[in-house]
Amino acid sequence: MLDIELIGLDRARTEGPSAVEIEELLALALSTAGISEGHVAVEFVEEDRIRELNRDFRAIDAPTDVLSFGVDEDGTAAGPRELGDIVICPEHTDNLREAVIHGALHLTGMDHETDDGEMLALQAELLRWVML
């Protein structure tokens, strides 16, 4: 079972996804890698906070839309699996559903900066499914 923690959802735009929809998007994206158990936190933050995280962890001193921080990335854990954290800045995100899926796919180990387009293709396919 997935244990999903949502933080700062009130910062998301009113037309954004509900808590239930975010949980469903996470479950869908994570299931593409066979992940059905573990804890993941999704935090919605302001521009200053995501800029700070982007600077500290990626050496890019600029805000961005979404960052992911995997924890038990190899799948082994001493206790319940800690998948990681997804941080989303609604001010820099055109589509919050896409940001949730994007962050979750990163937690599965996918990386659009190093693959041959597989992650973004899967992201687009998942978005087509949920937007029907």
Side-chain angles (χ1 to χ4, degrees):
M1 177 176 155
L2 289 173
D3 175 22
I4 299 168
E5 181 180 3
L6 300 177
I7 304 162
L9 186 56
D10 57 320
R11 289 187 190 96
R13 294 184 293 269
T14 55
E15 72 273 8
S18 67
V20 170
E21 187 177 1
I22 291 169
E23 292 173 0
E24 291 171 349
L25 292 168
L26 288 167
L28 176 64
L30 294 170
S31 72
T32 65
I35 299 170
S36 60
E37 295 183 1
H39 174 263
V40 61
V42 179
E43 183 173 8
F44 295 89
V45 299
E46 294 179 354
E47 181 178 327
D48 290 344
R49 178 65 178 141
I50 204 147
R51 180 182 188 150
E52 175 185 351
L53 291 169
N54 205 21
R55 182 187 64 236
D56 293 350
F57 291 95
R58 298 181 64 224
I60 299 173
D61 191 14
T64 189
D65 55 353
V66 59
L67 294 170
S68 296
F69 301 95
V71 177
D72 294 331
E73 295 182 81
D74 64 0
T76 59
R81 186 168 180 194
E82 180 62 43
L83 299 170
D85 301 328
I86 300 169
V87 183
I88 298 171
C89 180
E91 295 170 77
H92 286 273
T93 305
D94 291 330
N95 185 330
L96 291 173
R97 290 167 184 84
E98 181 177 31
V100 169
I101 290 172
H102 187 90
L105 291 176
H106 273 300
L107 293 183
T108 70
M110 298 188 88
D111 188 348
H112 58 89
E113 294 181 1
T114 60
D115 70 16
D116 291 322
E118 294 91 353
M119 179 181 162
L120 295 179
L122 178 56
Q123 175 180 302
E125 182 66 20
L126 295 175
L127 277 171
R128 278 193 291 278
W129 292 350
V130 300
M131 300 307 274
L132 293 178

